[in-house]
Amino acid sequence: MAQSQGHRPATPVSGAHVLQGSAVRRWIALAEIVADQTRDLVDVLNVFPVPDADTGTNVLLTLRSASDALHRLGRAADAAQVARAAADGAVRGARGNSGLLVSQALAAFADICADAPNPTGLRPVELVHAYEAMADTTWAAVSRPVAGTLLSVARDAATAARSALEEATASSPATLSIIAAAAAFGSQESVVETAGLGHGPVDAGGAAFMLLLTCLSDTIDAIQDVGSGKNEAPELRQGHEDADEHAPYTAVARQMLTDLAEGGVPHSVGPEPLGMSTGEFEVMYLLEATAVQAGQLRRDLELIGDSVGVVGTPDALGVGLYQVHVHTDTPRAALPHVGRARQICIHHLHPTALVASTDEPPSPWGALDSDPTGHVVSFERLAARRAERKAKSVRMHPSQAAAPRPVPAETPRLAARSRQAGIGVIACTRAPGLIEQLARSDAAVVLNPDREGIARAAADLGSSQVIVLPCDAACTEAAHDAARFLAARSAVSTVRPPAGTRNAGAAREAARAGMQAGSSSERYAAEGIQLLVCDTDDEARVLAAAVALAGRSEEAELADLARRAWSAAAGLRTFALNGAQADADAVARAVAAALRPSDELLTVIIGRNAGRDVGALAASAAVGVRGQAVGEDVEVAVHAGGQERPDVLIAIE
């Protein structure tokens, strides 16, 4: 580990130059540009801790949030103010495990700026302290640190910066440029040395962090060139295709990563890396809580998962906003019991067959497990039967038949890339008990949705087109608000040229949509996200639509998928029961009265205030009715939704 910031420098240093607020602002701007231009490269490198090919995207979104925060900060802000604003923005917008660590590194940098004798800027010795703080903080942020990752890169960079400071002399003092260059070179050496350690060609998080440090070195050189009388450093903006011209150190680092990626060993060869995440789901949310509550939450999450992160910036009273991240097999257990959680998003990390070929898992309704007729089916078996029924139906187009999810290929990274390249799906729900089923349908699940949560999930998917499945009227309004919000962000960006690495994808999207080249719509396709809000208005319709879209291919068209979702939702008759109407006997009578001879499926979603025997009696009522009719027995799916309202939701198909 790097030495702590409390160690005094062994040699004198020059105070002629300090890292001021304008330089920190330029650093974040350059880092965002580079993250955008290297996103695809870093995504391809993503193997650890989950081969989901999104590290580059997550780091870009994290830095973009930091940059957005700086746009709202006055130009006269000093280094401490700029660093804090960037850190707070990064924490709020952090995505994925690597994004969390980057936000934590920026928070550590901000702490050093705040504690510096002169908050207007950092001297070389304090810059060394910043590198050491970033290394210490990121290492401490991980519940089970693994060598050869971002943590190693941060540590080696800090060690190199400390060595450069200690090797300085009175005749050759350490400058900001020397310190930053040493740290950047140390990070590059670390990436090379850790290549091939089981994390793929290069650890993606380490690669992204190295680029962040080379950007800082290039920024300091540009600022000091201005101080030496050279031409003024040009203002950087998103979309700079010639960023390499102003970031020579970073250009070399990018080429090094490209060479390592091309010469590396694919992830499919050899055993899984040590420390690979075993959690089936990724859960992320923002939590307003005290430092004590956040600390307890982290300890609780470490008991149920890995890749745990609970990072934030509490105020003087110990209350703050924390970004929470965990990989777990039990996503519902990862939800907090204290504080206020929002923007809760759940993703399925390890794609499995939606339809299980083995026996069904045990039903949570024990009273029905002994039923020899087997009328209660699991979600996976239900998906299979529904797909078979639709495939055989002459009344439906073949495209509307949901195919089961394929078993993961030998290279799961490729599957993840395909998912990002296609059309994304967001399933909204207020029923915590449905998040696993919905996530297994390959939808990004937003619990207790609002505008910000839906917009966040849309960005996380990495798709230019996203279908949103709202669960009620309030959610529908929030989804439309999110669509307008994302469109507004894209409209602003039309004054910028699209980033170089995304031009080809933008052209393909434009061609697919029938747009003319060079139009503002093309630029929208390059930088914006189009949301299509479906007509699902309850949890049952969301579930049915999500299952119908589970078998979508990368080539599927938005209009076809929208029709598929609409058909699945429209095929249901639903009714909600509350209070006395949700009594078990009343539910049974309602089911018996509502079922028709042609009905094939009964879905019961039970709220938190309903009795546990509601599902059993509803299933018995369905069996009793169908026993008097000609044809096969009705299938019954019972879900412990846990929603606040309604107490019981009945859906018949």
Side-chain angles (χ1 to χ4, degrees):
M1 287 292 293
Q3 300 179 51
S4 68
Q5 67 182 60
H7 288 231
R8 65 175 179 84
T11 55
V13 298
S14 173
H17 300 288
V18 295
L19 188 65
Q20 298 178 331
S22 59
V24 178
R25 192 187 295 269
R26 180 183 175 89
W27 172 37
I28 299 299
L30 178 61
E32 182 194 2
I33 294 170
V34 171
D36 191 21
Q37 297 178 345
T38 59
R39 175 177 59 178
D40 291 341
L41 172 60
V42 177
D43 278 347
V44 168
L45 295 171
N46 181 200
V47 169
F48 179 88
V50 176
D52 51 0
D54 64 355
T55 294
T57 300
N58 289 336
V59 171
L60 169 61
L61 294 173
T62 302
L63 291 174
R64 184 168 291 168
S65 182
S67 182
D68 289 345
L70 293 182
H71 290 321
R72 298 187 291 270
L73 187 68
R75 304 297 299 186
D78 59 28
Q81 294 168 326
V82 173
R84 178 56 60 196
D88 290 347
V91 169
R92 288 192 300 270
R95 302 291 198 279
N97 199 51
S98 295
L100 239 71
L101 292 177
V102 168
S103 73
Q104 194 74 347
L106 293 179
F109 185 91
D111 290 340
I112 296 300
C113 290
D115 294 337
N118 185 357
T120 61
L122 296 182
R123 299 172 301 168
V125 63
E126 291 142 10
L127 182 59
V128 174
H129 294 164
Y131 286 118
E132 293 174 341
M134 286 192 285
D136 293 342
T137 303
T138 52
W139 196 278
V142 179
S143 55
R144 288 186 285 273
V146 176
T149 62
L150 181 153
L151 307 179
S152 297
V153 174
R155 179 193 60 199
D156 292 342
T159 300
R162 170 62 63 176
S163 297
L165 180 66
E166 294 178 344
E167 293 171 1
T169 63
S171 60
S172 181
T175 64
L176 291 174
S177 181
I178 291 174
I179 297 297
F185 187 69
S187 69
Q188 288 183 300
E189 286 187 319
S190 182
V191 168
V192 173
E193 291 173 357
T194 58
L197 292 185
H199 301 158
V202 178
D203 178 69
F209 195 75
M210 177 198 69
L211 293 173
L212 180 67
L213 298 186
T214 60
C215 286
L216 179 55
S217 180
D218 283 325
T219 297
I220 291 175
D221 285 347
I223 296 297
Q224 293 200 342
D225 285 345
V226 174
S228 302
K230 298 184 179 181
N231 293 332
E232 184 177 353
E235 183 180 356
L236 298 178
R237 67 185 188 280
Q238 188 59 34
H240 253 70
E241 297 186 9
D242 59 347
D244 288 352
E245 178 183 343
H246 311 294
Y249 219 135
T250 303
V252 173
R254 289 174 60 178
Q255 186 59 52
M256 182 190 77
L257 289 179
T258 302
D259 295 341
L260 289 172
E262 292 177 350
V265 180
H267 169 58
S268 58
V269 179
E272 287 189 343
L274 180 65
M276 177 73 76
S277 173
T278 58
E280 186 178 358
F281 302 91
E282 178 184 53
V283 181
M284 291 195 72
Y285 53 87
L286 289 175
L287 178 68
E288 297 177 18
T290 65
V292 174
Q293 292 171 334
Q296 183 59 53
L297 175 63
R298 172 171 175 164
R299 291 188 290 272
D300 293 342
L301 294 179
E302 289 174 348
L303 298 176
I304 64 167
D306 53 29
S307 297
V308 175
V310 182
V311 302
T313 51
D315 58 21
L317 299 177
V319 179
L321 186 65
Y322 294 85
Q323 187 73 248
V324 181
H325 175 276
V326 64
H327 295 168
T328 179
D329 291 332
T330 54
R332 190 172 181 179
L335 302 179
H337 300 291
V338 295
R340 177 174 177 263
R342 49 193 176 90
Q343 299 184 27
I344 305 173
C345 299
I346 300 94
H347 298 266
H348 197 210
L349 292 176
H350 300 289
T352 57
L354 182 63
V355 181
S357 59
T358 59
D359 293 336
E360 302 173 23
S363 167
W365 306 98
L368 294 177
D369 289 343
S370 60
D371 185 357
T373 58
H375 294 291
V376 178
V377 299
S378 68
F379 174 79
E380 290 80 6
R381 187 67 59 89
L382 173 62
R385 295 181 184 179
R386 179 179 287 167
E388 292 173 358
R389 199 163 56 244
K390 290 183 177 181
K392 295 176 181 178
S393 175
V394 297
R395 296 172 296 174
M396 304 189 73
H397 191 274
S399 65
Q400 297 174 347
R405 277 188 60 91
V407 177
E410 293 183 358
T411 52
R413 180 175 71 245
L414 298 179
R417 293 291 296 171
S418 291
R419 185 175 66 251
Q420 291 183 345
I423 296 173
V425 176
I426 297 175
C428 302
T429 183
R430 302 190 192 278
L434 297 182
I435 58 179
E436 292 187 23
Q437 296 95 318
L438 291 171
R440 287 197 178 99
S441 72
D442 198 25
V445 183
V446 179
L447 182 63
N448 299 326
D450 56 12
R451 186 194 77 171
E452 289 75 18
I454 295 172
R456 171 178 179 159
D460 289 349
L461 285 170
S463 302
S464 61
Q465 295 180 316
V466 176
I467 294 176
V468 183
L469 307 176
C471 56
D472 53 35
C475 180
T476 299
E477 183 178 353
H480 285 295
D481 284 345
R484 288 190 290 269
F485 170 74
L486 293 172
R489 288 178 62 92
S490 300
V492 174
S493 69
T494 59
V495 300
R496 311 167 181 164
T501 58
R502 303 175 68 181
N503 289 347
R508 288 193 297 270
E509 293 293 338
R512 183 180 300 174
M515 304 171 184
Q516 295 182 353
S519 66
S520 61
S521 297
E522 181 179 349
R523 291 191 292 270
Y524 174 89
E527 299 202 15
I529 301 174
Q530 178 186 359
L531 295 189
L532 188 151
V533 184
C534 289
D535 295 329
T536 52
D537 56 3
D538 58 39
E539 317 287 345
R541 290 192 170 90
V542 170
L543 189 59
V547 172
L549 298 177
R552 66 189 182 278
S553 64
E554 181 181 346
E555 294 76 22
E557 298 290 339
L558 182 65
D560 292 337
L561 294 180
R563 284 192 294 269
R564 187 188 299 180
W566 175 86
S567 177
L572 300 182
R573 306 192 316 275
T574 66
F575 53 96
L577 303 174
N578 292 290
Q581 294 180 330
D583 175 81
D585 292 331
V587 171
R589 291 193 297 270
V591 168
L595 280 174
R596 304 169 183 171
S598 60
D599 293 331
E600 299 177 335
L601 172 64
L602 170 70
T603 301
V604 184
I605 301 176
I606 301 175
R608 68 179 65 174
N609 298 319
R612 289 189 58 83
D613 56 346
V614 167
L617 289 181
S620 299
V623 173
V625 171
R626 185 51 55 89
Q628 304 172 8
V630 180
E632 61 179 305
D633 292 334
V634 66
E635 296 171 352
V636 181
V638 180
H639 302 283
Q643 71 275 6
E644 185 174 355
R645 300 284 287 185
D647 292 336
V648 179
L649 178 63
I650 304 292
I652 300 174
E653 181 178 350

